[in-house]
Amino acid sequence: MTSKIQDNYPPEDFFQASDELVNIQKNCLKLLDSAIEAQFSGTDRILADLEQGIKVLKAFNHKKLKREEHKDHVYARRN
C-alpha cells in the first residue's frame, strides 16, 4: 500500500496522506457499525469527516498531478 500512496501523493504530504487514509478507514468502519446497529444519529458527522478526508486527499493528489504535468512540460520544452 505504501507504494500506491507514494505514487499518488507528493512526498512531503506522505505522512499526512497516510493519516487521512487511516481516518477515512476508521470513519468507514464507524459508518458501517452505525448501519449495523441502526443508530443513524451520528452518521451526519461521520459523513462530514469522510468528505473532509476525501477533499484533503484530492488536494494532495491534484498537487502531485500538477507537479508531474509541469515537470513533463519542462522536459518536453528542453527536447
Side-chain angles (χ1 to χ4, degrees):
M1 184 162 114
T2 300
S3 64
K4 287 285 188 185
I5 296 170
Q6 291 171 338
D7 290 346
N8 293 309
Y9 303 103
E12 67 272 14
D13 298 323
F14 175 80
F15 292 110
Q16 192 173 356
S18 295
D19 289 345
E20 286 298 332
L21 288 165
V22 168
N23 289 336
I24 288 170
Q25 181 184 29
K26 287 178 182 178
N27 282 315
C28 284
L29 292 173
K30 286 180 190 176
L31 191 62
L32 286 172
D33 286 342
S34 294
I36 290 168
E37 298 294 327
Q39 297 295 323
F40 303 107
S41 60
T43 57
D44 288 343
R45 181 68 193 147
I46 296 168
L47 290 170
D49 290 344
L50 281 169
E51 186 176 348
Q52 179 59 32
I54 295 295
K55 284 180 184 179
V56 169
L57 291 176
K58 280 183 176 180
F60 288 157
N61 180 253
H62 181 75
K63 180 178 170 182
K64 169 103 182 201
L65 293 174
K66 286 296 182 185
R67 182 177 296 158
E68 289 175 355
E69 181 182 300
H70 177 71
K71 184 172 55 173
D72 292 342
H73 180 68
V74 169
Y75 178 77
R77 274 196 316 193
R78 290 183 183 168
N79 292 326

